Amino acid sequence: MVEQIKQYTNTKWLGANIVYEECMDSTNTRAKLIGGGNVMENAVVVAKNQTAGRGRRGRNWISPEGNCYFSVMMKPDIQAENVSTITLVAALALTQTIEKVTGIKAQIKWPNDVVVDGKKVSGILTESSIGVDGLKYVVIGVGVNVNQKQFDTEIESMATSISLQTGNEVECAHVIGEFLNCFEELLEVFLKTEDMTVLIDRYNSLLVNRNQEVRIIDQGEWVGTALGINGKGQLLVSDIDGNVETVISGEVSVRGLYGYV
Ligand code: BTN
């Protein structure tokens, strides 16, 4: 697997160290262990399947063989408050990756779900460790439904895979290798300003809920129109009276009025 990934990668620094095992509990959990040590920078942890894959909001990420499960661990020199924006950069990199590898167009459901044909094809779980001196490390964990042919009935209307969309099987090493190329290029842009100012138009053009009515689920619920992100990666939503509210990732859930996107 490591050699196969390297065949597709031409990065300068990202993915300098690739750790692969056929089965792990969670590549994020493993990457955090590596991040807590002092030996490895810019590691990518890859597994063929996970026994305790984790999703956002404490959910499980069911991880059968055939899909991609990997986590990038980095120690970027940025302000801790800006670290969560990296997750939007990763989503952007994934849409590019899917288009390059398969030719199909992927979009983003804010902040970081990647969707094809209105269904989720990939999820990202970003976790960081912040100490008194600032950011220690960040782990960006990516799960891509690559070769899965069937989903449980509760999620089949909301989930899809690359192979269901294209009719072809795809090599995970190709997806991971291309992701590292795209992610490194976008990270270099992000790291200059530590925000989305340069990437904002690219991100907004891929936003599946742009100019759509969305339901914001906070302590209560309200409906508005998603306008796009600002430089900090927050979602701007116009409410019924035309007031523009700023929605912060991680604090609320954003849903379409009729279904997932
Ligand atoms: C989501 O809920 O949408 C995020 C899912 C993230 C899953 C990936 S799979 C690789 C990495 N390891 C984990 O345990 N989770 C992430």
Side-chain angles (χ1 to χ4, degrees):
M1 176 68 100
V2 176
E3 284 316 306
Q4 285 162 304
I5 293 172
K6 284 185 180 163
Q7 268 179 20
Y8 293 107
T9 323
N10 51 27
T11 53
K12 288 174 267 174
W13 50 274
L14 193 64
N17 296 293
I18 301 177
V19 177
Y20 169 74
E21 272 169 36
E22 203 159 298
C23 184
M24 285 187 197
D25 51 355
S26 150
T27 56
N28 261 41
T29 306
R30 180 67 72 84
K32 281 162 74 174
L33 282 174
I34 295 172
N38 285 322
V39 265
M40 241 190 244
E41 287 270 353
N42 302 320
V44 181
V45 180
V46 183
K48 225 183 216 175
N49 57 64
Q50 302 182 116
T51 52
R54 295 185 286 111
R56 294 176 75 205
R57 298 172 192 279
R59 297 193 189 106
N60 296 329
W61 187 261
I62 311 290
S63 309
E65 202 172 311
N67 294 333
C68 278
Y69 313 103
F70 64 98
S71 302
V72 175
M73 190 283 294
M74 303 187 305
K75 301 183 174 181
D77 185 14
I78 60 171
Q79 297 294 313
E81 70 207 47
N82 299 330
V83 71
S84 61
T85 315
I86 290 185
T87 207
L88 280 79
V89 181
L92 198 51
L94 256 180
T95 60
Q96 288 185 2
T97 303
I98 291 174
E99 198 156 348
K100 281 195 174 165
V101 173
T102 68
I104 56 175
K105 188 162 165 56
Q107 290 180 292
I108 301 169
K109 176 179 175 284
W110 183 85
N112 61 2
D113 281 354
V114 174
V115 300
V116 174
D117 199 19
K119 293 179 173 187
K120 179 161 167 169
V121 75
S122 168
I124 301 171
L125 175 67
T126 296
E127 300 181 289
S128 54
S129 170
I130 295 167
V132 277
D133 301 330
L135 180 68
K136 287 190 186 154
Y137 64 83
V138 56
V139 168
I140 301 110
V142 184
V144 190
N145 300 332
V146 177
N147 295 314
Q148 193 162 345
K149 302 286 184 307
Q150 269 188 328
F151 291 89
D152 289 346
T153 35
E154 317 88 78
I155 60 163
E156 70 180 353
S157 62
M158 297 184 282
T160 190
S161 68
I162 289 177
S163 78
L164 282 175
Q165 291 295 322
T166 61
N168 296 320
E169 298 244 318
V170 172
E171 241 186 302
C172 280
H174 193 177
V175 174
I176 298 170
E178 197 56 68
F179 174 82
L180 295 175
N181 297 338
C182 296
F183 194 33
E184 182 182 87
E185 199 183 316
L186 293 171
L187 274 172
E188 287 186 347
V189 176
F190 166 82
L191 291 172
K192 283 188 190 141
T193 57
E194 298 187 23
D195 66 20
M196 293 297 283
T197 41
V198 180
L199 300 172
I200 199 167
D201 289 345
R202 234 187 290 180
Y203 183 95
N204 280 338
S205 71
L206 294 166
L207 198 58
V208 69
N209 14 41
R210 193 167 197 201
N211 300 325
Q212 304 284 319
E213 285 201 303
V214 288
R215 178 177 293 127
I216 311 296
I217 305 155
D218 198 352
Q219 270 110 6
E221 272 193 30
W222 56 279
V223 170
T225 305
L227 304 176
I229 58 161
N230 62 15
K232 289 184 174 156
Q234 299 157 337
L235 187 67
L236 303 174
V237 182
S238 144
D239 71 13
I240 206 154
D241 301 316
N243 302 316
V244 177
E245 304 284 341
T246 304
V247 175
I248 299 171
S249 136
E251 295 185 359
V252 299
S253 168
V254 177
R255 278 292 170 101
L257 294 196
Y258 312 103
Y260 165 68
V261 291

